[in-house]
Structures are given as structure tokens and as C-alpha cells.
Amino acid sequence: MSKARFSFTFSALLLLCLVLLTWPATLRVSTSSVPDFGSRTAFANPPRRSNGLTDVVQWDNYTLFVRGQRILLYSGEFHAFRIPVPDLWLDIFQKMKAAGLNGVSIYIHWGLSHPAPGVLDFDDWRDLQSLFDSASAAGLFIVLRPGPYINAETTAGGIAHWVTSQVAGELRTNATDYRAAWEPYIQAIIDATVPNQITNGGPIIAVQIDNEYSQKPINRAEYFAELEAAFRAGGVVVPLTHNEPGEGANFINGTGAVDIFGMDSYPQGQCSDPETWNPVTPNYHQYHESVTPSQPFYMPEFQGGSFDSWAGPGYDACWILTGPDYEDVFYKHNWASNAKLMSFYMLYGYDYGAAIRENRALSPKFDELKRQALFLRSSPEFKKTDWIGDTSTGGVSVNGTGAFVTLLRNPDSGTNFFIARQNDSTSTASVDFTITAQTSTGTLTLPRISNSIALDGRQSKVIVTDYSFGSSNLLYSTASIFFAGRIGSRDVLFLFGESTQSHEAALKLGPSNSGAWGISSFVKFSSDSANDVTTITFLPGITGLVTVWESSSQLVLFSDTVTATSFWAPVIPGSSDLSQYWEFGSNETVLVGGPYLVRNATIQNSELQLTGDLNASVTLTVFAPSNIMTVTWNGMPISDLKDIQGKSSAITGRLNMKATNSFRLPQLTNWKFADSLPEIQATFNDANWITANHTTTNIITPPVFGDGRVLYGCDYGFCEGAVIWRGHFNATGAETSVNLTISGGTAFAASVWINDVFIKSTPSDSSTPSQTNEIFTFPAGSVKTSQDNVVTVVQDNTGIDESGSTPDNSKSPRGIMGFKLNTGEFTTWKLQGKLGGYTGYPDRTRGILNEGGLFGEREGWHLPGFDTSKWQTRPLSEGLPNQDAGIGFFITTFDLHMPSGTDIPISFVFDDDSARYRALLFVNGWQYGKRVGYLGPQVKFPVHQGLLDYNGKNTVAIALWSLDANTIVSPKVTLVADGFIDGGVGHIALNNHKWSPRRSS
């Protein structure tokens, strides 16, 4: 994912103009023109293409084909490395599947899986087979994105840290030593991928090469070619893809070209002004047709949220910026551009303001995504559409001002999809319009009875004509479609719309004596005997579910938007090897209304077996095949079922919460405290520390001043977390200050002492520089004449830079870039980072990024079972003793006894103050939060079950770093339950190994 929002300049506008001027006349037809299907046979049935290695995955200019079947890929981004609890991966995948998605895009993090030269680690939460199995169990296809570079708002963009200092050649090029670095990792990816390809019955349908890159200069293209050759030589036969950052047209042809090209887009900026939108990008379709007209339009990343920066407004603001209205307008604009392969970044990983929040809670963005995805799943005719035209080209006849409408048409069935939004896509006004459409019954002005179609503010709609559901036909609908298809032996159509608007639909129904009309004063019927069509008008004011028409062969439902969202359409598994995959293993489903989540549904004889979650007691409403006589929920029969006899197949009952939320989370008290900065004491011996004596470096920024020694942590094996530097000098008495340039990444901090006397921290304000240059003046009496003196620097590391468009940006300096006493020289520099560095760190389970170089981290104080009985009792809220600057560890334990059969997300919440402190949060040994009081914005840190023991003792450790002396730092932390879910995720294994003695650090 690229952090930049792409601004399309004059060249893009020129391209748009040229495309429009040269657009084939056959595509600028009026909707009043009757399509001549006979003359368009060649266009309607284009040749299928493949990479020549397999025909299991093919494509044409519309979509992918998997096993000979068209798929419209509607997908979301998921990062397993951001939820290191494998038993919870299926939870996320089931939620994605329940929303109607059929795919998941997955980044794999090179740096976590290849932490040191010669060390490959795909154990525990880095295990790929468990990940693939979870996606397969849920019924999701995988687009695998293993990098080596992934960006992903992660340190070094996923490049292994050791590579950034050990590789002399340019990263992300064909440099020989860079290739030698990535080859073992990519081979391990290949070994895991090959047996899990769709060609072998697995879920992987494509593999992405690297991430958002350019084809020039040639060494970058040759790097892509090397990666592609490695995948092919290793047996990867599914298509290889690329995600272009904007409209750059890289890797379509020439060296390094991939099988299927894709374009990423992030139309919104950052989150500081969340109510202000950038408009839609108007030329997506024209751009695609100009660069890859023979391929399906693929968007590997479309903005599904936004990253938040240090000192930013917080992820709730990002959620507002990219909320349900944004999804409605911008995702459907992609549909209008005829995109058929789309993935939304993020769907789940870090919070990002995504549809599934970091604590795994479903948000209203999830609801909108579900409404869209179930429509797409219900609409096979939408998989194959031609872009006919829009309001600006004259291809659509719109009556009224303010609406912008695009027409897509299925060339085989003649089904029309009119996708409408406001002409000003950022407008919050209301507009009304009608459209003139060519249908199987002739030219119609829609709606025919209601006055108009309404768009209230940031809203988009899909108006259909000649749309099929089962064996029935919908002549047109200005209402939205939630579900269309067959349930049992009946054709089912579920329409919905805003209760403040009118809606209209026309369709052929059976004879009036063959079924029953719904009774509602808000629903009006009008029959057209000439065409045997019934027009149904839905007046404003409808709330709840209305049965419009019901017979033995048809069921038509309508509800307001909120009610529709309460329904689910789970896949009833089939018996094939892809049993959980819609259209491959099963075309059978039911409609289930009421629960917070429906995870699975199966049918055994006449029993419907549902599993899912509740967040409240609700009325259950089920539309199922007519032979269903009993229903179970999470294995328990529902005893009060009604309406299961006669014509109606609506089954109703009551789902009551089994568990009660009478539990209480404990207060975090009885803190124990110990100082974690012995390095400033006169008695501290750093003889066993590494001597910083390098005079050369592969880091791209050389030292800016000093005596030639290189003081970059990664050059000595310390790339992660805090590093402590100790510079020795023999004082003459003339030394009064030291000039230091320190680099730790955006929003870093560093604190400096002379001997045991604190000088100051940098930066001294609330700015967020990646490096600072300051004079540190020695306090009077702090220098010891004719003795060894030590300047101690505690330097934080907020991560290594992503490379972006400049590959070697990831060779970023982290350490002391410049050092100089006002007079005299340093004799020795010593440094210590995480215990063992990246080659010998002891905690292989929690991984390379879990620990840094603080004394308490090196000793393992944060791990469960460390004995603090001899430590001082001190409340966290009192901060460090004597209001000193420095670092201390606060540790306490607490017990949890959570109700069985529940899913209760828990967060650690800091008070929202602005004190100058930095704090690391460790829960049962896992570093799971970094609170920077004076910057923020994050104060809430969700910690998952599996890291937390929900039925036992838990250890929480906070490394508190107070940046200033004589300053009150009094953080408070509380446990907060983010919800109470009955049902949940089942058994969650723990993997929290305990403390054991470590070698001296």
C-alpha cells in the first residue's frame, strides 16, 4: 500500500480527452438503441487467456475464470502478522465470508519470517499452512502477496532488517547480493504455495510480485523478472500479478511484465478533516481500456480506510473519512468503471478505520460492504458487462440535474446496470432524477409511477433492468437488491431502500390466485396486462420487513436498509473439494435475519443448523427450503419456532443470549516497580557490550560528523527497539558539551546523560522529526576530571523507513549520526540493543520485533513468571520516583474468569493526557502497544484472547520512559470490554511461554 494519494495531472487529463475522442462509436450508444446481440458475438465471447502453465485460472477482458467459471473477485486485505493468534484467523475469514466476500489478499512479512541470515521461521503465528487452511475452511480464495517488499505501513516495508545493513547493492533491484538475500525466503514461500494453489485443490489463485514499483530503470524490471523466474521454476503456475501505484502502466509489457496488471488507488487523504472528501477519479475506465483492454480491470488495493500518523486525529476519524457513505459512492464508482477484481485495504489488520475494527468488532462499514457483496454474489449477469457510456458521453439519458449515471450492460442477457451518484461526488445535497432505459418491453422512463429516484447526499444506487433471479425476471428496480436467487424451489428477491425515499420495481409474478400479496399501506401494486408485469411502489415510511408477494415458486421481500442489514445469506456447504466456495461447492443458501453474525449454516435432512454470534437477544427470521422443520442455533434447538406450515417458509423464533454480561474486569493495582536504567550508574560495567568500531556502512546516509566511527545500531545487529549507547572519554576539565545528531525514525525520542546526571531529551517539544541535531550541555560538576566519563544515550527506534519509490530509503540510519565533544575525543563507544541482536534473540515464539534493548527487556522482566516479589510496591500513577527522567518497569498480574461461550474483546486504555512520556505495553510477554503521551493519538490498545488468558492469570508490564526531570508523569491504565458477544470463536490456544533465566546483558 502506498501512503501517497495520487494526483492526476495534465497528462492524465490529456489521456482522458484522447480516449473519449477516440472511443469506439459502438460504445457510445443511447439506451434507447436496441442492442444487436448478433453483431456483437465476437465482442461478447472474447478469447480466454492464460499464462500457458495452467488452464485452471484463465481470464478475458471481463473477469477471471477459475475451473472454467467466471468469478468477480470481491476481496479484502488481511495481515496475519498483526493478529498473532492463529485460532482467530478463521474468525476474521468467517466474517469476511459472511459479508459475501469471496477472496482475501494476504501480505507475508519477509522480516518476520527471515529474521537473520540463514534463519527461516515459519513456526507459530508465522505458519503459512494454518493460514491457508483457515481461508480454505471459510471458502475464500487467496491472492498471496509475499513481497519481498510489501510496504504495509510496517518497518522497512517488510524487508528483513538485516538486509538493510548487510546488502551493499541497491535494494529491490537485480543486485547480486540483494538476490542472494531474498532467494531463501522466496523459496520457502514457493514451497508453501505450490501445494496450496487452486490447481492442487488449494485456495491460492494468484501471487503478486513485490509491491507498487516502477519498471525503470532496467535493474528494477530485471528484479521482477528474477522473482518471476524463481516462482515459475519452483512450480507456481497461477497468474502472477502487480499492483501499480496509480496510473503508471508499469509491468504490462517488457521485462518483468506480469500476467495480470492491477492498479491501486487511495482517493482520500489523511484523516485530519474527515468530513471533507476528494472527488472520485473520473477516468478509471478509460485508463484501463487504454493500457490493458484484454485483461479484467483489477484493483489489488482500493482504499478501505486510512493510516493515522503520530499526533494524528485517531482512527475513529479515519473511519468517518472512509465510512459507509464513502464505500457506497467510491466502491460503486469502481463498479461503474467496470472493475471486476477488487480488494479493499484494509479489511482487517491494524485498525486503519477498516470495516472490521482492530478488536475484531463489526462496524457499519462492514454492513455496507455486506450489502454490496451479497448483491454482487446474487448477480451473475454483472460479472460480464460492457461499459456503454455515462452522463458525460451521452450514453445515458438522465432527466434532472445533479445526477451522474453510468450504464453497464451484459452483452448476453441485455441486463442493464445503471450506477448513479451525484455529479459532484462530494456533495451532501439531495437530488432527484429519472432515467430513460431500453428494456425487453421497450423504452421506459424510470420510475414509471413514482416521481423520481432520489440521491440524498453522499449516496450511490444501482438501478437494474431485465435482471434475473432464479427462473424469474425483474423488469426493473429503482430499489436496491440485497439478495436474488433460489432458496429451495422458490425464486427469492429481497429489495431494500431508505425509509425516507420512494422506490419502485416491476416484475412478472404468478397468477394472483397462486400466491398472496403483502398487506401494507406503504406498498402499492399496479398491473400491466399487456406485458403481464406488476409494478410495485414502495412509499416512504417503510420500516421492518414486508412480504410483498409469496407463492410456491416466488418470494418477494422489501425492507428498509437497516433491517436488510440484519440479514445474512450463509453458504450451505456442498460435497466437492471446494465445498465452502459459493458457485463452486454450493449454490444453496438461506436467509437468516436477526443475529449479530451468522458464521455457518448446514442442512441435515429437515434440520437447519446455524452457528453464529449474538450481541443481544433477537427475533430470528429464516427463509429456507420448504422441507425445513427444525432449526438449531450453536447446537441447541430453537423451541418456539412459528410459521413452518402452509405456504409461508418464513420461520421465526427467539434467540436469547445464553451468557450474561455480569462479569467485571479487574482493576490494575498492586504494581511492582524497578528501575530499568542501571546503565547510567557509575558501577555499571559495559565490558561485555559490543564496541562500535565500524568505519564503513551500507546505510545510505553516512555519518554527518565525528571521527569516522559508524554508530548505527543495525550495523551491529540491533535493528529493533531501543538501543543504548555509551560514549567514553577521559576528561581534562575543558569538556562542557557534546553535539549529537540522533536518528530514530519519525516521532522518535532520545534521552542523554553525562555519567549519572541527566542532561535533556530530544526533541524537547511535540514535533515528530526522524532525527535531531542538538548541543547537550554538561551540568556543572557532572564531568569528572582525569577520569573516565560516559555519555549515555537512550535512543528509541520507531521503525526503519519504507522504501517507496526510492529502494534504498530502507537503508535508513538508526543511531547516532554525528558526535563531537566541544573539545577532546571519545575513546570508546559501546552499544547494546535487544539481547542477542537479530541473530541470537531468545524469544523465538513472539518473534524478532517483540523486544528492544531496555535493561528490563533484556532481562525478560516483561515475561510471565518473572519474580517481582522483592521489587518496590509503587502505583503506576505515581510515575518514576522523585519525578526523575529515566526508565522504569511497572508490573502487575490480574486474573480473568470470562464466561464460557463468549467472545469479549478487551482493550488496555491509557488516560488521555499529554505528559512527556513514552510507554511500552507488554501483555503476557507480548509487546502490544506503544503509548506516547505527548503525541498520541492512540490511547486504546486491543489485546486478543490467546495473548490474554481468559481463564487464568495474566501479567502486564509497562516500561515507562519519562523524558523530562521534575515533571509529573502519572499514567493510568484500565481494562475495558469493547463488547459482549454470545457465541464467538470457540477454543483459543495460548502460546505465552514463561520467563526463564537469561544470560547477562
Side-chain angles (χ1 to χ4, degrees):
M1 179 265 175
S2 172
K3 290 186 175 180
R5 177 175 60 83
F6 301 104
S7 175
F8 301 111
T9 55
F10 176 76
S11 59
L13 295 175
L14 179 60
L15 171 63
L16 172 60
C17 294
L18 291 172
V19 169
L20 292 177
L21 287 172
T22 60
W23 202 249
T26 56
L27 293 184
R28 295 204 307 268
V29 299
S30 168
T31 60
S32 61
S33 301
V34 178
D36 181 0
F37 296 118
S39 65
R40 298 180 61 183
T41 301
F43 187 70
N45 297 288
R48 297 186 190 181
R49 294 173 170 81
S50 73
N51 55 24
L53 300 174
T54 179
D55 60 2
V56 176
V57 183
Q58 300 171 301
W59 60 91
D60 63 10
N61 58 297
Y62 296 110
T63 65
L64 285 181
F65 291 86
V66 175
R67 293 188 175 182
Q69 189 161 304
R70 283 196 186 277
I71 66 165
L72 189 158
L73 188 66
Y74 220 51
S75 172
E77 185 75 18
F78 171 80
H79 297 165
F81 59 87
R82 286 181 160 128
I83 181 169
V85 184
D87 285 339
L88 288 176
W89 297 342
L90 182 59
D91 170 61
I92 301 300
F93 291 156
Q94 286 177 338
K95 288 170 177 172
M96 295 172 69
K97 179 63 176 300
L101 302 183
N102 61 356
V104 58
S105 171
I106 299 177
Y107 272 148
I108 307 299
H109 198 297
W110 178 14
L112 294 173
S113 306
H114 194 186
V119 179
L120 289 166
D121 184 358
F122 289 93
D123 296 329
D124 300 301
W125 51 273
R126 297 165 293 275
D127 177 45
L128 296 180
Q129 191 59 54
S130 296
L131 182 61
F132 300 158
D133 289 347
S134 295
S136 184
L140 296 175
F141 292 116
I142 293 175
V143 174
L144 190 66
R145 309 204 299 162
Y149 180 79
I150 61 173
N151 198 294
E153 297 77 57
T154 188
T155 179
I159 292 176
H161 281 174
W162 60 270
V163 172
T164 67
S165 65
Q166 289 198 20
V167 169
E170 188 176 19
L171 305 179
R172 301 179 71 194
T173 69
N174 64 346
T176 303
D177 54 351
Y178 179 62
R179 176 172 182 166
W182 60 252
E183 278 183 321
Y185 164 72
I186 289 297
Q187 187 58 53
I189 293 292
I190 292 169
D191 293 343
T193 299
V194 168
N196 288 283
Q197 297 177 100
I198 185 65
T199 53
N200 294 317
I204 299 173
I205 61 172
V207 175
Q208 181 177 296
I209 300 299
D210 205 73
N211 190 82
E212 294 182 336
Y213 209 31
S214 62
Q215 211 166 357
K216 296 178 181 179
I218 188 63
N219 60 356
R220 300 183 181 186
E222 290 175 347
Y223 161 55
F224 263 51
E226 290 175 347
L227 283 167
E228 291 158 7
F231 280 109
R232 294 311 188 201
V236 173
V237 298
V238 295
L240 301 178
T241 69
H242 171 60
N243 61 327
E244 172 69 21
E247 299 185 1
N250 288 285
F251 299 106
I252 297 172
N253 300 295
T255 303
V258 295
D259 296 321
I260 298 176
F261 167 84
M263 180 192 76
D264 292 353
S265 184
Y266 290 81
Q268 302 307 324
Q270 295 189 32
C271 312
S272 56
D273 188 8
E275 300 291 349
T276 300
W277 281 6
N278 295 314
V280 299
T281 302
N283 73 325
Y284 284 158
H285 170 70
Q286 289 79 6
Y287 171 73
H288 165 70
E289 289 296 316
S290 71
V291 295
T292 53
S294 63
Q295 295 182 7
F297 190 177
Y298 178 31
M299 288 184 158
E301 294 180 25
F302 191 81
Q303 186 172 14
S306 187
F307 67 90
D308 190 30
S309 60
W310 292 105
Y315 278 122
D316 286 347
C318 299
W319 190 94
I320 293 170
L321 177 69
T322 59
D325 52 353
Y326 161 85
E327 292 177 310
D328 191 21
V329 173
F330 282 79
Y331 292 6
K332 289 176 184 173
H333 176 65
N334 296 342
W335 301 4
S337 303
N338 224 10
K340 301 300 185 189
L341 314 176
M342 288 161 277
S343 188
F344 303 109
Y345 188 105
M346 293 287 298
L347 197 73
Y348 183 83
Y350 57 127
D351 192 283
Y352 209 72
I356 304 177
R357 304 303 296 264
E358 186 177 2
N359 59 13
R360 298 181 293 109
L362 306 182
S363 77
K365 286 181 64 173
F366 180 91
D367 297 340
E368 172 60 29
L369 189 64
K370 180 174 72 170
R371 291 189 290 266
Q372 293 182 15
L374 287 180
F375 165 75
L376 294 174
R377 199 186 83 178
S378 298
S379 307
E381 292 146 322
F382 193 75
K383 297 176 186 177
K384 183 181 180 181
T385 58
D386 296 328
W387 190 92
I388 302 302
D390 59 31
T391 306
S392 66
T393 66
V396 180
S397 176
V398 177
N399 307 302
T401 61
F404 187 93
V405 183
T406 301
L407 172 58
L408 305 179
R409 176 179 295 140
N410 183 290
D412 300 326
S413 67
T415 304
N416 288 323
F417 299 89
F418 296 88
I419 303 173
R421 59 169 171 84
Q422 294 216 36
N423 189 52
D424 175 2
S425 57
T426 72
S427 174
T428 58
S430 294
V431 300
D432 298 298
F433 66 98
T434 63
I435 59 174
T436 303
Q438 179 66 29
T439 74
S440 57
T441 63
T443 302
L444 300 177
T445 297
L446 305 180
R448 293 195 295 173
I449 298 175
S450 302
N451 291 329
S452 60
I453 303 166
L455 293 173
D456 290 331
R458 293 167 168 177
Q459 185 179 20
S460 182
K461 289 185 177 180
V462 180
I463 300 103
V464 301
T465 70
D466 292 303
Y467 176 95
S468 63
F469 61 103
S471 59
S472 298
N473 182 264
L474 177 66
L475 177 61
Y476 70 85
S477 178
T478 67
S480 298
I481 298 171
F482 180 77
F483 173 85
R486 288 185 70 82
I487 296 179
S489 60
R490 296 203 297 183
D491 298 339
V492 178
L493 178 67
F494 190 163
L495 303 173
F496 73 96
E498 295 298 319
S499 60
T500 57
Q501 300 173 348
S502 63
H503 313 276
E504 191 171 289
L507 68 163
K508 291 186 177 181
L509 302 173
S512 60
N513 61 1
S514 68
W517 302 100
I519 300 175
S520 171
S521 60
F522 297 101
V523 181
K524 305 297 181 183
F525 300 92
S526 175
S527 296
D528 182 351
S529 58
N531 295 306
D532 194 23
V533 169
T534 300
T535 300
I536 309 168
T537 304
F538 305 99
L539 301 176
I542 295 178
T543 58
L545 181 67
V546 176
T547 300
V548 179
W549 166 257
E550 184 162 17
S551 71
S552 60
S553 61
Q554 290 178 316
L555 175 65
V556 180
L557 306 170
F558 183 90
S559 80
D560 63 286
T561 302
V562 173
T563 300
T565 302
S566 71
F567 275 81
W568 308 85
V571 176
I572 308 297
S575 58
S576 74
D577 61 331
L578 299 178
S579 62
Q580 296 288 345
Y581 288 79
W582 180 254
E583 295 182 307
F584 292 86
S586 174
N587 287 309
E588 189 175 3
T589 186
V590 294
L591 285 171
V592 182
Y596 173 75
L597 174 67
V598 176
R599 296 178 181 273
N600 288 304
T602 58
I603 293 177
Q604 294 291 331
N605 298 319
S606 62
E607 182 174 86
L608 174 63
Q609 301 168 348
L610 302 173
T611 60
D613 302 353
L614 300 174
N615 62 353
S617 296
V618 296
T619 297
L620 175 71
T621 302
V622 174
F623 294 93
S626 59
N627 67 309
I628 296 300
M629 302 300 293
T630 60
V631 180
T632 65
W633 176 257
N634 292 338
M636 299 298 293
I638 301 173
S639 59
D640 62 343
L641 294 180
K642 300 176 183 178
D643 297 330
I644 61 173
Q645 299 295 329
K647 292 182 179 179
S648 176
S649 63
I651 303 172
T652 63
R654 188 69 180 169
L655 294 179
N656 294 311
M657 299 273 284
K658 291 189 301 181
T660 60
N661 58 356
S662 59
F663 73 97
R664 293 291 181 267
L665 292 177
Q667 297 294 311
L668 299 179
T669 58
N670 301 317
W671 292 93
K672 294 288 190 174
F673 170 80
D675 177 72
S676 184
L677 197 60
E679 294 90 348
I680 64 173
Q681 303 302 321
T683 58
F684 187 82
N685 185 352
D686 61 16
N688 292 327
W689 283 20
I690 291 176
T691 300
N693 55 12
H694 294 187
T695 56
T696 61
T697 182
N698 291 320
I699 302 299
I700 57 172
T701 306
V704 291
F705 56 87
D707 58 13
R709 282 177 284 187
V710 176
L711 306 187
Y712 296 156
C714 216
D715 281 340
Y716 301 94
F718 304 126
C719 303
E720 300 84 30
V723 175
I724 300 177
W725 304 85
R726 285 170 54 89
H728 296 254
F729 66 94
N730 293 315
T732 64
E735 297 85 0
T736 60
S737 65
V738 61
N739 183 192
L740 297 172
T741 296
I742 308 172
S743 176
T746 302
F748 90 106
S751 295
V752 181
W753 284 258
I754 173 67
N755 298 317
D756 61 355
V757 179
F758 177 67
I759 305 175
K760 67 177 180 179
S761 295
T762 181
S764 59
D765 56 18
S766 297
S767 59
T768 59
S770 61
Q771 68 183 54
T772 59
N773 177 50
E774 294 199 39
I775 302 293
F776 294 83
T777 301
F778 301 149
S782 61
V783 176
K784 302 173 183 177
T785 304
S786 301
Q787 298 183 44
D788 179 45
N789 290 258
V790 180
V791 171
T792 301
V793 179
V794 180
Q795 164 245 313
D796 195 10
N797 182 347
T798 58
I800 294 175
D801 293 345
E802 297 167 320
S803 79
S805 60
T806 306
D808 273 352
N809 271 356
S810 292
K811 295 182 178 181
S812 45
R814 294 294 180 263
I816 299 175
M817 301 177 64
F819 57 93
K820 185 175 180 59
L821 294 166
N822 69 300
T823 184
E825 301 291 340
F826 285 97
T827 57
T828 305
W829 276 98
K830 294 278 193 170
L831 77 154
Q832 178 66 58
K834 67 191 300 171
L835 185 63
Y838 58 65
T839 60
Y841 62 95
D843 193 343
R844 298 288 163 163
T845 298
R846 297 178 180 88
I848 182 72
L849 297 181
N850 196 65
E851 297 176 9
L854 301 180
F855 183 80
E857 292 179 285
R858 304 193 313 262
E859 293 291 309
W861 291 354
H862 56 291
L863 296 172
F866 180 80
D867 184 8
T868 62
S869 61
K870 297 182 180 179
W871 284 21
Q872 170 188 349
T873 298
R874 183 178 183 83
L876 174 65
S877 59
E878 292 186 4
L880 301 187
N882 305 314
Q883 298 182 9
D884 285 342
I887 300 169
F889 261 68
F890 291 83
I891 297 177
T892 191
T893 61
F894 61 93
D895 293 334
L896 290 176
H897 302 285
M898 308 307 284
S900 63
T902 61
D903 183 7
I904 304 173
I906 293 177
S907 293
F908 288 73
V909 181
F910 286 75
D911 56 331
D912 191 7
D913 63 8
S914 57
R916 281 183 50 80
Y917 73 86
R918 305 170 82 86
L920 297 179
L921 170 67
F922 293 92
V923 180
N924 290 329
W926 297 85
Q927 185 189 146
Y928 233 70
K930 187 169 192 171
R931 166 73 176 142
V932 180
Y934 60 99
L935 291 179
Q938 190 169 1
V939 297
K940 182 176 183 179
F941 299 88
V943 180
H944 304 291
Q945 183 179 1
L947 308 179
L948 280 169
D949 185 346
Y950 271 34
N951 289 283
K953 178 175 286 187
N954 296 271
T955 299
V956 57
I958 293 178
L960 180 64
W961 178 356
S962 180
L963 293 169
D964 298 327
N966 302 314
T967 299
I968 296 175
V969 172
S970 55
K972 301 177 182 65
V973 179
T974 56
L975 293 176
V976 173
D978 295 331
F980 185 89
I981 306 299
D982 186 342
V985 295
H987 174 72
I988 306 297
L990 297 171
N991 195 15
N992 300 333
H993 74 261
K994 295 185 177 182
W995 178 86
S996 60
R998 295 181 167 190
R999 66 175 175 82
S1000 175
S1001 59

